Amino acid sequence: MTRASNSQATTREQPRVVRLAAEDDFDGWRDAARRLASAKISPDAVVWQVGEDSADLFGTEQELPSAPSGELRVPRAFIELAQAAVLHRDPGRFSLLYRLLVHLGENSGLIEDHADPLVRRIEGLAKAVRRDMHKMRAFVRFRELDGTFVAWFEPEHHVVRANAGFFVRRFSTMRWSILTPEISLHWDGAALREGPGADRSQAPDGDVLEEVWKAYYASIFNPARLKVSAMLKEMPRRYWKNMPEAQLIAPLIAGAQAREATMTAQVVAPTERGITLDGLRKEADACRRCPLWKDATQCVFGEGPPDARIVVVGEQPGDEEDRAGHPFVGPAGQVLARAMEEAGLDRGRIYLTNAVKHFKFVLRGKRRIHQTPNAGEIDACRWWLDQEIGLLRPAATVMLGASAVRSVTGRTGAVGALRGKGVTLAHGIGVVSYHPSYILRQPDREAAREAEAALVADLKRAADEAK
Ligand code: URA
């Protein structure tokens, strides 16, 4: 295949310097690349620089050619590849991408040629960036500092800004800062600000929840699944220093064989794993992960025997639960108790809990009107539910309503559509069913009877799993 471009410039001419605003300036690169490609400027005649870097010794600063009037058509796959590859730390990335863009003008099918050295090289850059984005999402650890959650992270590539949306969505109700050497992100619950890079010493390195997190990690660490090489691949050593649980990795690996034998015999009680449900309950009393604690009377944690085989997850405590401090004691709890009885389940053998542990409401006169928790509140509270389930390791987890489904599986969608489909969870199976309040809200008896029969059938299914 020939790659001669009919450029006006020759490599003997002084290359032109194109200056981009930032290391991750995809829009700036795209705009410049469109203009240069339309003016048929050779890739060899362009030097790409970022910010105030001193001009290339052999390059000259020139105005960019004017923008083309028509669209420059490029394959969609190229845009996606370029958006990722631009974030790579390799200083040659802008130039490589421009070179590929010029070649695509001659042969748009080139993007599909994964054996082509240029395509392969750029795919490699994009892959490394995607991996780094994933690592940041997985390994950022927040520590509480005066009501704000602060994390320190050292990315390999320029992925911080590109990942900001993920953290805003995931932790929308918390105030947080992510500090990195090049840039810092600050979310105050409503707006995202950017600040300059920071130093590791500016991030706190301990808080009250750290011990809980370490204990949790120890409890979910499954020695039977331990593959050290795979683990190192997923959690490279360079991230360990900022992750509290990493301090546990060496002793956990060392103790893995002994623990595997114990687990195989299935005689490990939650208490032997160093943390109890009571301990968690006390920690949750002080939870400030979202603002719901401010108006609620108290945290309503899960309740039930530590060896329960079935966990039932509701949405959040209601008015009565908030006052009493126990889950499912109000009207919805009565419907649930009736359905459990009909399904042949002993309520005393079941662990009852909620996706969100504080009552969310608005005051109307003297009445406290239930408000559905939002995604951020559910996600913030998932911390606790994960630990409850991690300790209990139930055979079946029944999710009552959409909030429970989101909390346990991360999925969204109508309960009716998810019902009846077994969900495989890290511990046992998941059963989706109607929330008892939904049954109470049905407009007529027949509809309520049908919904309740469905709940009973789902509880029976959980009971079968737990046998
Ligand atoms: N609704 C729930 O989801 N949980 C309770 O604890 C009470 C009502």
Side-chain angles (χ1 to χ4, degrees), residues 300 313-318 321 326-330 332-333 353-354 400 435 437:
V300 180
V313 185
E315 181 197 72
Q316 61 166 343
E321 288 81 9
H326 302 289
F328 287 107
V329 293
T353 191
N354 283 298
L400 301 177
H435 192 284
S437 303

Side-chain angles (χ1 to χ4, degrees), residues 41 93 99 138 236 260 331 384 412 454:
I41 307 288
R93 64 200 183 279
R99 191 171 293 280
E260 181 175 358
W384 300 109
T412 51

Side-chain angles (χ1 to χ4, degrees), residues 111-341:
I111 194 72
E112 307 294 340
D113 184 356
H114 304 292
D116 179 89
L118 181 58
V119 173
R120 223 177 44 225
R121 171 116 186 252
I122 293 176
E123 283 178 342
L125 300 182
K127 189 170 170 202
V129 165
R130 290 193 190 107
R131 189 170 157 79
D132 203 36
M133 301 237 344
H134 168 74
K135 295 289 178 227
M136 180 173 174
R137 294 174 184 199
F139 299 142
V140 157
R141 293 284 176 271
F142 289 101
R143 275 116 168 172
E144 194 173 0
L145 185 68
D146 299 332
T148 298
F149 289 86
V150 182
W152 167 252
F153 190 73
E154 290 169 70
E156 255 179 86
H157 305 291
H158 304 290
V159 298
V160 178
R161 213 177 263 126
N163 252 341
F166 168 84
F167 286 97
V168 167
R169 284 191 299 281
R170 187 81 167 75
F171 302 109
S172 60
T173 58
M174 289 160 54
R175 287 156 50 108
W176 52 258
S177 292
I178 299 178
L179 312 181
T180 81
E182 282 177 8
I183 173 182
S184 53
L185 299 177
H186 309 276
W187 171 254
D188 63 6
L192 186 71
R193 278 185 306 109
E194 276 183 20
D199 187 85
R200 205 217 170 300
S201 62
Q202 291 169 268
D205 59 9
D207 74 356
V208 281
L209 293 179
E210 193 152 299
E211 287 311 309
V212 184
W213 169 243
K214 282 197 264 182
Y216 165 62
Y217 184 78
S219 78
I220 60 164
F221 181 89
N222 184 345
R225 299 230 185 100
L226 180 64
K227 279 208 184 83
V228 178
S229 58
M231 189 168 133
L232 284 174
K233 193 160 157 251
E234 280 311 308
M235 197 196 283
R237 275 183 208 278
R238 60 187 297 270
Y239 298 104
W240 289 18
K241 59 182 181 297
N242 301 321
M243 300 170 64
E245 71 273 30
Q247 298 159 24
L248 301 171
I249 292 174
L252 284 171
I253 291 175
Q257 275 189 327
R259 296 186 76 228
E260 181 175 358
T262 324
M263 281 180 62
T264 309
Q266 297 205 319
V267 293
V268 182
T271 44
E272 286 174 38
R273 295 190 214 122
I275 187 160
T276 63
L277 290 165
D278 283 342
L280 281 182
R281 182 172 297 118
K282 287 196 191 102
E283 295 285 353
D285 276 343
C287 182
R288 302 289 182 266
R289 290 184 159 256
C290 82
L292 293 183
W293 64 274
K294 288 186 192 157
D295 295 327
T297 310
Q298 57 196 311
C299 170
V300 180
F301 206 70
E303 285 182 1
D307 60 349
R309 303 268 296 142
I310 298 176
V311 169
V312 173
V313 185
E315 181 197 72
Q316 61 166 343
D319 182 65
E320 291 192 32
E321 288 81 9
D322 171 76
R323 295 178 202 281
H326 302 289
F328 287 107
V329 293
Q334 285 165 26
V335 174
L336 180 62
R338 194 168 65 215
M340 282 181 177
E341 201 179 335

